[in-house]
Amino acid sequence: MVCLGNICRSPIAEVIFKKKLLEAGLSWTVRSAGTNRYHKGGPADARAIEVCRGKGMDLSAHIARRLTPADFDQYDVLFSMAADVTEEMQGIVGDESKMSRVRGFMDALYPGQARSVPDPWYGGAQGFVECWELIERASERWIEILRAEG
Ligand code: 4NP
């Protein structure tokens, strides 16, 4: 799960996806990262921690990290939260062919539309609730899609 700062969207996606996988009895490995280094080593945004807490999920132990070229080898699928994130990912991976592992996270709900998960960073708490709910819907759909793909 990849976003810009690894403090809002991708940590929320990581915790939701992990919970959905647990419920589905699947043991896939999920991790998150950001394309920038501004928040590296720090916690998730307090508003992200709060919205997750309200939904019964604990994000308090999250430590932001930056996406590395090695992540493109380690993971079968890299979900980009937004169009600008995908551009940044290209800059990090270097090898263009490895971008084939990248999928737009919103494509599960809106195929072919190249939509982004709106960045809640500049807004208030309501934006985080909407972000959480959108990510939950996409996570459920992605698990169906990935299972069908085998
Ligand atoms: P995120 O939100 O990518 O969902 O973690 C952001 C957090 C920080 C910044 C941008 C987006 N930033 O520019 O510092």
Side-chain angles (χ1 to χ4, degrees), residues 15-133:
V15 79
I16 292 177
F17 218 88
K18 281 180 172 169
K19 177 144 189 274
K20 300 285 172 193
L21 288 173
L22 200 63
E23 288 168 359
L26 297 166
S27 56
W28 304 343
T29 303
V30 183
R31 209 177 173 197
S32 67
T35 55
N36 74 41
R37 58 171 70 80
Y38 304 135
H39 302 275
K40 191 177 153 186
D45 187 283
R47 297 162 296 177
I49 294 173
E50 184 56 29
V51 71
C52 286
R53 197 184 59 76
K55 304 281 189 182
M57 299 181 182
D58 185 12
L59 204 55
S60 63
H62 176 72
I63 297 171
R65 70 182 190 100
R66 191 172 188 229
L67 184 71
T68 68
D71 288 320
F72 287 79
D73 297 319
Q74 192 162 354
Y75 295 94
D76 299 317
V77 181
L78 290 94
F79 286 114
S80 169
M81 295 292 136
D84 55 349
V85 174
T86 305
E87 278 181 35
E88 299 285 331
M89 290 173 80
Q90 278 169 6
I92 290 172
V93 71
D95 181 350
E96 185 72 25
S97 69
K98 291 186 182 166
M99 285 301 287
S100 62
R101 296 190 175 199
V102 178
R103 302 174 83 161
F105 195 66
M106 279 297 98
D107 287 0
L109 301 177
Y110 307 101
Q113 295 185 31
R115 288 215 201 177
S116 299
V117 179
D119 188 349
W121 166 254
Y122 298 101
Q126 184 55 30
F128 279 82
V129 174
E130 288 163 14
C131 175
W132 195 97
E133 289 172 353

Side-chain angles (χ1 to χ4, degrees), residues 3-11 36 38-39 119-122:
C3 65
L4 295 174
N6 193 216
I7 57 170
C8 303
R9 292 165 293 179
S10 65
N36 74 41
Y38 304 135
H39 302 275
D119 188 349
W121 166 254
Y122 298 101

